Amino acid sequence: MLEEIADDDPAVVAFLNPAASVPSCTKLGLKRAFDELGTWFAFKPVLATEPAIQEE
């Protein structure tokens, strides 16, 4: 006999909507990624003025 599980069951919801993973990156890797996109020179002044971004 099969047991039906409600669509709003927390286990079903968690299975169907897994938490997004947060990638990590070194500072050099981030700079290289911006370079590849051609956006490093636009991002660099923002980085210089935002202590919270610098810290992260």
Side-chain angles (χ1 to χ4, degrees):
M1 182 173 170
L2 295 176
E3 179 183 347
E4 298 235 357
I5 301 173
D7 290 341
D8 62 349
D9 182 279
V12 173
V13 172
F15 177 78
L16 294 176
N17 301 299
S21 64
V22 177
S24 65
C25 163
T26 64
K27 290 177 186 178
L28 180 57
L30 183 61
K31 188 218 181 270
R32 287 180 178 165
F34 277 113
D35 274 340
E36 285 180 23
L37 294 171
T39 58
W40 174 246
F41 290 106
F43 178 72
K44 192 174 178 180
V46 175
L47 178 64
T49 62
E50 291 291 333
I53 295 174
Q54 293 173 12
E55 193 173 302
E56 291 295 322

